[in-house]
Amino acid sequence: AAEAKDPVVFAAASLKNALDAINAQWKAETAKQATVSYAASSALAKQIESGAPADIFISADLDWMDYLAKKDLIKPDSRVTLLGNRIVLIAPKDSPVKIDIGPGFDLAKALGDGRLAMGDTSAVPAGKYGKAALEKLGAWAGVEKKIAQAESVRAALLLVSRGEAPLGIVYATDAAADPQVKIVGTFPENSHPPILYPIALTKDSSHPDATAFLAYLQSGKARPLFEKEGFTVLSKPVTQ
Amino acid sequence: MSWLELSPAEWTAVHLSLKVSFWAMLASLPFGIIVALLLARGRFWGHSLLNGIVHLPLVLPPVVTGFLLLILFGRRGPIGAFLDQYFGIVFSFRWTGAALACAVMAFPLMVRSIRLSIEAVDTRLEVAAGTLGANPVWVFVTVTLPLILPGIIAGMVIAFAKAMGEFGATITFVSNIPGETQTLSAAIYTFTQVPGGDAGAMRLTIVAVVIAMAALLLSEVLARGVARRIAAA
Amino acid sequence: MSWLELSPAEWTAVHLSLKVSFWAMLASLPFGIIVALLLARGRFWGHSLLNGIVHLPLVLPPVVTGFLLLILFGRRGPIGAFLDQYFGIVFSFRWTGAALACAVMAFPLMVRSIRLSIEAVDTRLEVAAGTLGANPVWVFVTVTLPLILPGIIAGMVIAFAKAMGEFGATITFVSNIPGETQTLSAAIYTFTQVPGGDAGAMRLTIVAVVIAMAALLLSEVLARGVARRIAAA
Amino acid sequence: MSIDIDVTHRFGAFRLAARFTGGAGVTALFGRSGSGKTSLINIIGGLLRPDRGRVVIDGVTLVDTDRGIFVPKHRRRLGYVFQEARLFPHMSVRRNLLYGRGFVPAGERVAVEPIVAMLGIGHLLERRPAGLSGGEKQRVAIGRALLASPRLLLMDEPLAALDESRKGEILPYIERLRDEMRLPIVYVSHSVAEVARLATTLVVLNAGEVAAAGPAAEVMQRLDLSPLTGPEGTGAVIDGTVAAQDERYGLTLVATPAGELRIPSVAKPVGAPVRLHIRARDVMLADRRPEGLSALNIIAGVIAEIGSPVGAAVEIRLDCQGVPLVARLTRLSLDRLGLAPGRTVFAVVKAVSFLPEEPGKREGSAADAAD
Amino acid sequence: MSIDIDVTHRFGAFRLAARFTGGAGVTALFGRSGSGKTSLINIIGGLLRPDRGRVVIDGVTLVDTDRGIFVPKHRRRLGYVFQEARLFPHMSVRRNLLYGRGFVPAGERVAVEPIVAMLGIGHLLERRPAGLSGGEKQRVAIGRALLASPRLLLMDEPLAALDESRKGEILPYIERLRDEMRLPIVYVSHSVAEVARLATTLVVLNAGEVAAAGPAAEVMQRLDLSPLTGPEGTGAVIDGTVAAQDERYGLTLVATPAGELRIPSVAKPVGAPVRLHIRARDVMLADRRPEGLSALNIIAGVIAEIGSPVGAAVEIRLDCQGVPLVARLTRLSLDRLGLAPGRTVFAVVKAVSFLPEEPGKREGSAADAAD
Ligand SMILES: Nc1ncnc2c1ncn2[C@@H]1O[C@H](COP(=O)(O)OP(=O)(O)OP(=O)(O)O)[C@@H](O)[C@H]1O
Ligand SMILES: Nc1ncnc2c1ncn2[C@@H]1O[C@H](COP(=O)(O)OP(=O)(O)OP(=O)(O)O)[C@@H](O)[C@H]1O
Ligand code: MOO
Ligand SMILES: [Mg+2]
Ligand SMILES: [Mg+2]
């Protein structure tokens, strides 16, 4: 059924807004559309491993793409690093807190006895990046015991916007969309591994339109829609 | 209230959820009855083991159940490959797979309901049917089954309700493919994962609640009707 | 079999899971009994509505339940703020919150079990106790409660098992803080989210299965004992 | 002691409208299935709230719908023994027995041992109800009700679920409650034999209404009630006293105003009151004093009333020195003997036809067992 | 028709070891509670697999543990009527009735209407069992068993759950099965009255063993069984034929070898067989032919046997022209009349004491209702 009509894209859940918009625009232009399945990158990768009918995989981090690459389940020459993102420190919008993020900054003091909301530091990409940044900046040891690890970035965002946690670390893309929070500061790009969203065709992809959609995602027409959601578009524009 | 209006894609998810839940409920029913019968009446060695296995989906995180399903029933999994080759039944990334996941997750609840009603049946009526010439299968069909109908209805409704809410195992097993495996719950989940998705999540949640409430109400009405029909003689 | 050995952090998760599930089960028990009583015996206007609300956690995706808990019971939520201010009860980021989430998710299952056993009680015994001078509360404590004990045990065990498996609502509500709110299920989930985490997930899954099986077995033994004690006179 | 009832209650098409008074001893509610006996006793016990009316026990108003009074059942201090013993299955016999005792003010509690001994259940105390026989269960249920120190005992066909020999086991205990403990009892039954044996006051219910009420002996001999009481029903109840014991032949001589009667021996001392129930079907009439007959009891009397025939049979009421006696004969015999009111006849009653014939015997043995 | 049973079975301390044969008509299993009646009938019906033994019905071996034969209950073609009617609550009366009929080969099916008419349940067909009275339920249960065309009907205390008047309603139907449908029946009861009225063959069970077995009339007069049958138990069963109907007095004249007896009218044609049950307690003896007595039946006989005394009473067996009769007297009367074996005496029996006295009447009205 699924492989009959449209190319199938397996995409990390955090891409939903941008991809839905791009997909709609592609349809308007070409009368073709992609079917997008949003879930956790981990689940998507394992599904592809067990023969899911996906043509394109967009992971929220490099690990799960590497996982598939190692198992020879993607077409290596189609792999492109499509997007970049930033992580930011946020607080509820009425919070008076002011911090300059930099080496040795005292996050623990700013937290007080509150907790720092972030994605699961071993499972959720944003959590992993946040942990790396804090370590790099020497703030990890002070807050390690005060982390609230959320199941997703969105859950971490909610914890801050509901005032459960005084501070949180989320993607810039998420922070921008929630009026209940304000961005206290952005982590320096060099404080953590680059936040990258790789994209590739799967090994079994045979849908004639898959390559076209892959190209469209990298095209100038898609770029503003990604940027509108706060992503940085890293791949060079492909002309169709 | 225009934010309450569903997009076509959301209508698809609603429709799919109903289909998936309905078939999950219906297809697991015979197995539910058989297992409930075994647990209620059977005296065999692996009784406790069977009881344990039936309850597993309740105990395990849904994601784990989903992964186990993927490993077993996926296209490359031992059972999945077998069913595909010999019967042409494919679960992976089909709505049928979503139904399987929901059925598995709802199974312990269905079995519990039916088992309790079987344990309440007056076995003397079954004996009486036997003396009238009915063989055990016919006794079951004409006496036991009608008498446990309230329990079966309750089991079906709770399974249906659970299936409407299930997404952890489903999304892990068959992904979240709109029109194929994206149920209402998965759609709600997707909304919760992106900025600004709250309104959408809320809208779909209301739809889910309305459907489930309707099912519960219906089951109460049905159960009351059946109970009246079979009031103790 | 050294991969079966648990790290200290995992032991903590196991211990925490047991604690959370135990308290979730125990703390929801009085409410479970009261709601089951209302549903089994009560004849009031909002009967179906109450029944529907009790079943909500079953119907909704756990993440949605988690969000709703956060909104209601969070530090700034109406109920959470009230409890904090007047009773000093705080749920957010505490194991108590995990227990609340598990209790809410397991509640419909517990209520079902108890409700069925209440419906099976011979009310004539309660009337007899009344004629002997016992007021309704005492009748309940000395007659009804012992008679529904098997149903209560079954309800507690299924609630415990469900609590062991719950993580969607828990992690959303109180996050995943090792030693405070990271239960076995959450730990398993975390393992499934990282490449190469399968062995760890498998190991913890086995632990979860063993615990739940033990609880089920124990409940069967208990229920059988109780049933023998109260065999119909 | 007084029981004063005047209630109406409606269940769909069935309408209960009962008014009667009772006193000490056993007030029996007698009637066919569906006549409203259980409804009435449930109203007394507080299990059923009547649509209208009053229930006054010993001057205490338990129900008065006009004044809005309805004392809940647990505050009525009435013992209730049900048809099915309703023992608490999760408690030992001992805990069942003591259940109601805790609710009684300390000063009014009755002692446990005498009641356990009287009911002969001492050896059952540690058992569970599930293992008891029907008769044992019912004895425990009676003990449980008694230990709640009731002002009045309500019994709804307490023997109906038991077979004949178990019934015989229980009846003497109920007589002891009446005679030794002097506990007022409201007793529901549709068995004439039980009612004849136990009732002080008899209330006959028919389709929800009181068809007759009054002292048991008076009501039982009323010939117009036989359609209600059934062919086994009519008979006479004669109260007498033990005049002598005939050890040799195992007989007891009972003195009644109509003369001495011989019945199978009753284990009571000389002078003790005895109630005899003589069923109409067991009485033969003769126009002269019969000779050479095995029947031991021959009583002279005057025909007071001849009832209307039912089938082949007709009932005749005699007056034997003020003691009533009822005989059932065929119409043929009536004509052959030319019987008419005012004629003197001789009633012939076999000694072995006295009810109870076995309970007397059993009473002794049961009492032995209880010691 | 033949029933041939020889089985042993053990339940804990209880051991059933029964061997007897039965034939056409009603084979009654009689005994106290716990004597093994239900166990035995369950073995015949295939509800219980005996430890050892054989059950052969009409030459067909249903159970033979030695040869490993055990025909499952649904292949035995035996109707079973239980104490509690066990009607299917989810089916109408009609569907209950027809339940077993579908399993009967088309050629062997019995017609529905006659059975419905005979049981008088035509007006109940569309009702649900829950709304029926106890007597109605039991009639439907009998109809259901009959419509399964059984070779043999098993009835386990089918009347025990009913009150007296309901029992009277059902008994005539069972007699019709025996007499009109000529259906062999195994009937369990602990009521002497039922057994006396119905049994062709009587099997008395005591503590799991057969204490006596044989033609009902013979077994019932055995004086040594009275400890088992109870004081109401012994009596004589006399088979006679209708000699004449006395319309005027509502009596039926029954011819027996011992002479003509008058009983309340029975709705049977002249020449039809009638069974009379004369209970020992209802028989008086006289040393000369009594005069001027209301009792209609006076039978001369010779004392054949004097039983051992029980309490005040003693039972005496008479031989009246080959017809046995049993009387219960006090020992005092025995001595006073100087009775001894060989003496000729006159037995006096009131017409109204014949059992059944009401069912005869009811039978007519029930039959009317069924039309
Ligand atoms: N709860 C009830 N609802 C409706 N009708 C009732 C109810 N209880 C009793 N009745 C009806 O009231 C009438 C009297 O019933 P009740 O039980 O008082 O009779 P009873 O004399 O005790 O009969 P039995 O000898 O069979 O016990 C019956 O017609 C019965 O159907
Ligand atoms: N399933 C069983 N398990 C153990 N003991 C049993 C079982 N069924 C019957 N018994 C015992 O066997 C004995 C005979 O029981 P049975 O029911 O055959 O007696 P019965 O003559 O039918 O008695 P009743 O007149 O009370 O029906 C009793 O002592 C009973 O306790
Ligand atoms: O078992 Mo769940 O946590 O309701 O999908
Ligand atoms: Mg009643
Ligand atoms: Mg029996």
Side-chain angles (χ1 to χ4, degrees):
Chain A
E3 51 258 76
K5 296 204 307 277
D6 304 321
V8 175
V9 180
F10 273 23
S14 53
L15 292 166
K16 177 174 164 63
N17 284 354
L19 276 188
D20 279 353
I22 293 167
N23 196 15
Q25 183 175 305
W26 191 51
K27 185 182 179 190
E29 289 178 14
T30 64
K32 293 173 186 168
Q33 65 173 342
T35 297
V36 191
S37 173
Y38 301 104
S41 304
S42 56
L44 296 170
K46 288 195 179 149
Q47 287 162 357
I48 290 169
E49 183 185 1
S50 60
D55 296 293
I56 295 170
F57 177 46
I58 314 178
S59 171
D61 64 6
L62 296 174
D63 293 355
W64 285 108
M65 190 61 88
D66 291 344
Y67 176 82
L68 290 184
K70 220 175 285 165
K71 304 210 171 212
D72 194 21
L73 290 166
I74 54 166
K75 294 183 175 147
D77 45 353
S78 69
R79 177 171 170 170
V80 174
T81 303
L82 180 65
L83 300 171
N85 207 344
R86 299 290 298 270
I87 50 172
V88 295
L89 187 66
I90 55 166
K93 75 166 189 286
D94 51 3
S95 164
V97 70
K98 279 204 172 60
I99 309 177
D100 285 325
I101 298 176
F105 76 118
D106 196 351
L107 188 55
K109 181 160 160 254
L111 273 177
D113 59 358
R115 287 192 177 267
L116 176 67
M118 55 196 290
D120 193 307
T121 55
S122 55
V124 177
K128 292 192 240 181
Y129 297 129
K131 179 181 174 187
L134 293 177
E135 277 174 343
K136 186 76 179 281
L137 298 173
W140 177 250
V143 299
E144 189 181 357
K145 296 267 179 282
K146 297 183 173 179
I147 307 287
Q149 307 191 48
E151 168 249 2
S152 68
V153 192
R154 288 291 301 163
L157 179 66
L158 187 72
L159 291 175
V160 177
S161 77
R162 294 291 312 168
E164 297 295 329
L167 292 170
I169 300 174
V170 299
Y171 289 125
T173 46
D174 294 295
D178 191 336
Q180 298 297 315
V181 301
K182 65 178 185 188
I183 295 174
V184 177
T186 303
F187 285 90
E189 237 168 328
N190 64 0
S191 67
H192 54 82
I195 302 172
L196 302 173
Y197 292 69
I199 183 171
L201 287 174
T202 62
K203 185 75 186 279
D204 294 341
S205 171
S206 55
H207 199 286
D209 298 333
T211 325
F213 190 65
L214 187 73
Y216 191 79
L217 289 174
Q218 301 172 46
S219 74
K221 289 175 177 162
R223 176 181 285 258
L225 295 175
F226 280 126
E227 287 175 342
K228 178 168 171 261
E229 295 293 327
F231 291 103
T232 321
V233 179
L234 298 174
S235 63
K236 296 181 189 70
V238 176
T239 40
Q240 311 195 3
Chain B
M1 300 294 276
S2 74
W3 68 272
L4 260 179
E5 267 167 37
L6 300 186
S7 71
E10 288 165 359
W11 272 119
T12 308
V14 170
H15 177 242
L16 187 70
S17 259
L18 288 173
K19 177 164 95 173
V20 163
S21 301
F22 177 78
W23 284 106
M25 170 187 88
L26 209 68
S28 58
L29 187 58
F31 302 98
I33 294 174
I34 290 170
V35 170
L37 259 181
L38 281 175
L39 289 177
R41 298 271 173 90
R43 294 280 158 271
F44 53 93
W45 177 82
H47 192 271
S48 297
L49 191 70
L50 177 63
N51 192 31
I53 290 172
V54 165
H55 280 86
L56 268 190
L58 205 65
V59 181
L60 296 179
V63 176
V64 172
T65 307
F67 276 134
L68 290 176
L69 287 174
L70 191 60
I71 291 168
L72 293 176
F73 287 89
R75 204 184 288 271
R76 307 207 180 134
I79 308 180
F82 172 82
L83 289 176
D84 187 5
Q85 190 169 345
Y86 293 96
F87 299 95
I89 301 175
V90 177
F91 290 114
S92 55
F93 311 104
R94 300 275 172 83
W95 71 267
T96 47
L100 175 65
C102 290
V104 166
M105 293 299 288
F107 200 63
L109 307 182
M110 175 181 273
V111 168
R112 284 214 146 213
S113 233
I114 301 177
R115 176 180 176 173
L116 280 169
S117 69
I118 292 175
E119 284 168 351
V121 164
D122 184 350
T123 51
R124 297 178 307 172
L125 293 175
E126 299 171 334
V127 170
T131 65
L132 289 165
N135 64 37
V137 172
W138 192 242
V139 170
F140 179 76
V141 172
T142 59
V143 177
T144 320
L145 210 51
L147 290 176
I148 63 175
L149 211 53
I152 291 180
I153 291 174
M156 286 170 73
V157 169
I158 191 125
F160 183 84
K162 172 73 195 169
M164 289 291 298
E166 215 306 301
F167 92 100
T170 310
I171 203 172
T172 309
F173 178 29
V174 289
S175 203
N176 187 7
I177 303 167
E180 187 69 30
T181 63
Q182 185 176 63
T183 59
L184 204 47
S185 291
I188 295 173
Y189 170 77
T190 312
F191 269 122
T192 64
Q193 295 304 302
V194 289
D198 293 0
M202 186 57 68
R203 189 170 58 221
L204 294 186
T205 297
I206 291 173
V207 174
V209 169
V210 167
I211 292 174
M213 289 277 189
L216 282 173
L217 258 180
L218 181 71
S219 82
E220 280 199 14
V221 172
L222 278 180
R224 221 170 290 148
V226 170
R228 209 177 13 247
R229 284 202 329 125
I230 64 173
Chain C
M1 299 292 275
S2 74
W3 67 273
L4 261 177
E5 266 166 39
L6 300 186
S7 70
E10 288 165 359
W11 273 118
T12 309
V14 169
H15 177 242
L16 187 70
S17 260
L18 288 173
K19 177 163 93 174
V20 163
S21 301
F22 177 77
W23 284 106
M25 169 187 91
L26 209 68
S28 59
L29 187 58
F31 302 98
I33 293 175
I34 290 169
V35 170
L37 260 180
L38 281 174
L39 289 176
R41 297 270 174 90
R43 293 282 157 271
F44 53 93
W45 176 83
H47 193 271
S48 296
L49 190 70
L50 178 63
N51 191 31
I53 290 171
V54 166
H55 279 86
L56 268 190
L58 204 65
V59 180
L60 295 179
V63 176
V64 173
T65 307
F67 279 147
L68 292 175
L69 284 175
L70 189 60
I71 290 168
L72 293 176
F73 288 88
R75 208 182 287 270
R76 305 237 175 116
I79 308 179
F82 173 83
L83 289 177
D84 187 4
Q85 191 169 344
Y86 293 97
F87 300 95
I89 300 176
V90 177
F91 291 114
S92 56
F93 304 129
R94 299 278 169 83
W95 70 266
T96 47
L100 174 65
C102 290
V104 167
M105 293 299 288
F107 200 63
L109 307 182
M110 175 182 272
V111 169
R112 283 213 147 216
S113 233
I114 301 177
R115 175 180 176 172
L116 279 169
S117 69
I118 292 175
E119 283 168 351
V121 164
D122 185 352
T123 52
R124 298 177 306 172
L125 293 175
E126 298 171 334
V127 170
T131 65
L132 290 165
N135 64 36
V137 172
W138 191 243
V139 170
F140 179 76
V141 172
T142 58
V143 177
T144 319
L145 210 51
L147 291 176
I148 63 174
L149 212 52
I152 291 180
I153 291 174
M156 286 170 71
V157 169
I158 190 123
F160 183 84
K162 172 72 197 170
M164 289 290 298
E166 214 308 301
F167 95 102
T170 311
I171 201 171
T172 307
F173 178 32
V174 288
S175 200
N176 188 3
I177 303 167
E180 187 69 30
T181 63
Q182 185 176 62
T183 59
L184 204 46
S185 292
I188 295 173
Y189 171 76
T190 307
F191 268 123
T192 64
Q193 297 303 303
V194 275
D198 294 0
M202 185 58 68
R203 188 171 57 221
L204 294 187
T205 297
I206 291 173
V207 174
V209 168
V210 167
I211 293 174
M213 290 277 190
L216 282 172
L217 258 181
L218 181 70
S219 83
E220 281 199 13
V221 172
L222 278 180
R224 221 171 289 149
V226 171
R228 209 178 12 248
R229 284 202 328 126
I230 65 173
Chain D
M1 180 66 207
S2 74
I3 301 169
D4 194 345
I5 313 277
D6 183 1
V7 292
T8 63
H9 191 74
R10 183 179 284 279
F11 279 129
F14 175 82
R15 185 159 176 277
L16 178 72
R19 174 176 188 164
F20 67 89
T21 56
V26 171
T27 302
L29 304 182
F30 177 89
R32 310 198 150 195
S33 188
S35 58
K37 308 181 293 297
T38 297
S39 306
L40 199 47
I41 203 171
N42 280 348
I43 287 173
I44 302 174
L47 277 56
L48 181 64
R49 190 193 281 260
D51 293 341
R52 288 186 53 87
R54 303 187 324 120
V55 173
V56 182
I57 305 289
D58 238 354
V60 179
T61 302
L62 297 179
V63 179
D64 188 334
T65 51
D66 286 344
R67 288 159 56 206
I69 297 176
F70 182 83
V71 179
K73 59 178 170 302
H74 60 279
R75 297 225 192 82
R76 294 200 177 188
R77 290 280 297 275
L78 306 177
Y80 200 137
V81 178
F82 302 89
Q83 180 168 332
E84 350 73 56
R86 301 199 192 179
L87 298 182
F88 304 126
H90 55 297
M91 301 180 188
S92 65
V93 166
R94 182 191 300 280
R95 282 190 53 217
N96 265 282
L97 287 171
L98 297 180
Y99 189 86
R101 203 157 176 267
F103 307 117
V104 181
E108 300 173 39
R109 287 191 193 150
V110 293
V112 179
E113 286 71 34
I115 286 179
V116 166
M118 180 192 80
L119 294 166
I121 49 180
H123 58 296
L124 305 174
L125 293 179
E126 304 314 325
R127 306 248 312 260
R128 295 234 160 230
L132 304 183
S133 78
E136 290 167 341
K137 276 181 195 158
Q138 206 55 288
R139 266 144 68 194
V140 175
I142 293 172
R144 184 177 67 170
L146 293 179
L147 287 170
S149 306
R151 296 184 290 201
L152 171 69
L153 196 60
L154 306 173
M155 307 183 98
D156 188 3
E157 309 203 35
L159 310 183
L162 305 179
D163 66 27
E164 285 307 319
S165 60
R166 306 270 175 238
K167 280 183 192 163
E169 262 176 38
I170 302 284
L171 273 167
Y173 295 112
I174 300 175
E175 285 178 321
R176 290 195 188 181
L177 304 185
R178 180 190 63 190
D179 301 335
E180 296 172 19
M181 296 187 57
R182 308 214 153 270
L183 186 65
I185 298 175
V186 175
Y187 188 97
V188 163
S189 179
H190 55 225
S191 152
V192 173
E194 285 170 31
V195 167
R197 182 157 165 190
L198 297 173
T200 315
T201 306
L202 178 54
V203 178
V204 179
L205 284 177
N206 185 32
E209 309 212 333
V210 175
E218 268 172 37
V219 175
M220 286 206 64
Q221 51 159 315
R222 273 176 55 183
L223 301 185
D224 61 330
L225 290 177
S226 77
L228 291 182
T229 55
E232 298 280 305
T234 23
V237 170
I238 302 178
D239 288 306
T241 51
V242 174
Q245 296 287 10
D246 179 347
E247 305 277 322
R248 178 159 167 229
Y249 286 109
L251 297 173
T252 294
L253 224 70
V254 178
T256 76
E260 289 193 336
L261 298 177
R262 280 197 181 76
I263 65 171
S265 77
V266 170
K268 289 189 177 176
V270 170
V274 189
R275 159 176 292 194
L276 305 176
H277 175 217
I278 305 180
R279 293 191 287 176
R281 70 183 291 284
D282 287 332
V283 179
M284 246 178 237
L285 297 184
D287 56 6
R288 67 206 79 164
R289 182 173 287 275
E291 307 264 314
L293 209 57
S294 65
L296 291 178
N297 299 303
I298 294 172
I299 309 162
V302 176
I303 294 180
E305 181 185 358
I306 297 182
S308 24
V310 177
V314 62
E315 283 172 358
I316 296 172
R317 187 156 60 79
L318 306 184
D319 179 343
C320 316
Q321 322 287 87
V323 173
L325 210 58
V326 184
R328 176 142 77 248
L329 312 180
T330 55
R331 284 185 281 126
L332 177 59
S333 300
L334 186 76
D335 285 4
R336 275 201 189 161
L337 298 177
L339 302 182
R343 267 199 62 179
T344 296
V345 290
F346 296 88
V348 181
V349 189
K350 292 182 65 174
V352 296
S353 66
F354 279 95
L355 276 177
E357 56 190 1
E358 2 151 34
K361 195 176 67 208
R362 284 174 184 268
E363 187 173 21
S365 56
D368 292 344
D371 288 340
Chain E
M1 181 64 208
S2 74
I3 302 168
D4 196 344
I5 313 278
D6 182 1
V7 293
T8 62
H9 191 74
R10 183 180 284 280
F11 280 129
F14 176 81
R15 184 160 178 277
L16 178 71
R19 174 176 188 162
F20 67 88
T21 56
V26 171
T27 304
L29 304 182
F30 177 89
R32 312 197 149 196
S33 188
S35 58
K37 307 181 294 296
T38 298
S39 306
L40 199 48
I41 205 171
N42 280 348
I43 286 173
I44 302 175
L47 277 57
L48 181 65
R49 188 192 282 260
D51 292 341
R52 289 186 52 87
R54 304 187 325 120
V55 174
V56 183
I57 305 290
D58 240 353
V60 180
T61 303
L62 297 180
V63 179
D64 188 335
T65 51
D66 286 345
R67 285 159 56 205
I69 297 175
F70 182 82
V71 179
K73 59 178 171 303
H74 61 278
R75 298 227 191 81
R76 293 199 178 187
R77 289 279 297 275
L78 307 177
Y80 201 137
V81 178
F82 301 89
Q83 179 169 331
E84 351 73 56
R86 300 199 192 181
L87 299 182
F88 304 125
H90 55 298
M91 302 181 187
S92 65
V93 166
R94 182 191 300 280
R95 283 189 53 218
N96 264 284
L97 287 170
L98 297 180
Y99 188 88
R101 203 158 176 267
F103 309 116
V104 181
E108 300 172 40
R109 287 191 194 151
V110 292
V112 179
E113 285 73 33
I115 286 179
V116 166
M118 180 191 79
L119 294 167
I121 51 180
H123 58 297
L124 306 174
L125 293 180
E126 305 313 326
R127 306 244 315 258
R128 297 234 159 229
L132 305 183
S133 77
E136 290 168 341
K137 276 181 196 159
Q138 206 55 289
R139 264 144 69 194
V140 174
I142 292 173
R144 184 177 68 170
L146 293 178
L147 287 169
S149 306
R151 296 183 290 200
L152 170 70
L153 196 60
L154 307 174
M155 307 183 99
D156 188 3
E157 310 202 36
L159 309 184
L162 307 179
D163 66 28
E164 284 307 318
S165 62
R166 305 269 176 238
K167 279 183 194 166
E169 262 177 37
I170 302 285
L171 272 167
Y173 295 112
I174 299 175
E175 285 179 321
R176 288 195 189 182
L177 303 184
R178 179 190 65 190
D179 301 335
E180 296 173 18
M181 295 188 56
R182 309 214 152 270
L183 185 64
I185 299 174
V186 175
Y187 189 97
V188 163
S189 179
H190 54 226
S191 153
V192 173
E194 286 171 28
V195 166
R197 182 157 165 188
L198 297 174
T200 315
T201 307
L202 177 55
V203 178
V204 179
L205 285 177
N206 184 32
E209 308 213 331
V210 175
E218 268 172 38
V219 174
M220 286 206 64
Q221 51 159 317
R222 273 176 55 181
L223 303 184
D224 61 333
L225 290 178
S226 77
L228 291 183
T229 55
E232 298 281 304
T234 23
V237 170
I238 303 179
D239 288 307
T241 51
V242 172
Q245 295 286 11
D246 179 347
E247 305 278 323
R248 180 159 167 229
Y249 286 109
L251 298 173
T252 295
L253 226 69
V254 179
T256 76
E260 289 194 337
L261 298 177
R262 282 196 178 77
I263 65 171
S265 78
V266 168
K268 291 189 176 176
V270 170
V274 190
R275 158 176 293 195
L276 305 177
H277 176 217
I278 305 179
R279 293 190 287 176
R281 71 184 289 286
D282 287 332
V283 179
M284 244 178 239
L285 297 184
D287 57 4
R288 66 207 81 165
R289 183 173 286 274
E291 307 267 310
L293 208 57
S294 65
L296 291 176
N297 300 301
I298 294 172
I299 310 161
V302 176
I303 294 181
E305 180 185 357
I306 297 183
S308 23
V310 178
V314 60
E315 283 172 356
I316 296 173
R317 187 157 60 80
L318 306 184
D319 179 342
C320 315
Q321 321 285 88
V323 174
L325 210 58
V326 183
R328 176 143 78 248
L329 312 182
T330 55
R331 285 185 281 124
L332 176 60
S333 301
L334 185 76
D335 284 4
R336 275 203 190 159
L337 297 178
L339 302 181
R343 269 200 60 180
T344 295
V345 290
F346 296 87
V348 181
V349 189
K350 291 183 65 173
V352 296
S353 67
F354 279 95
L355 275 176
E357 58 191 359
E358 1 150 37
K361 195 176 68 208
R362 285 175 182 270
E363 186 172 22
S365 56
D368 290 345
D371 286 341

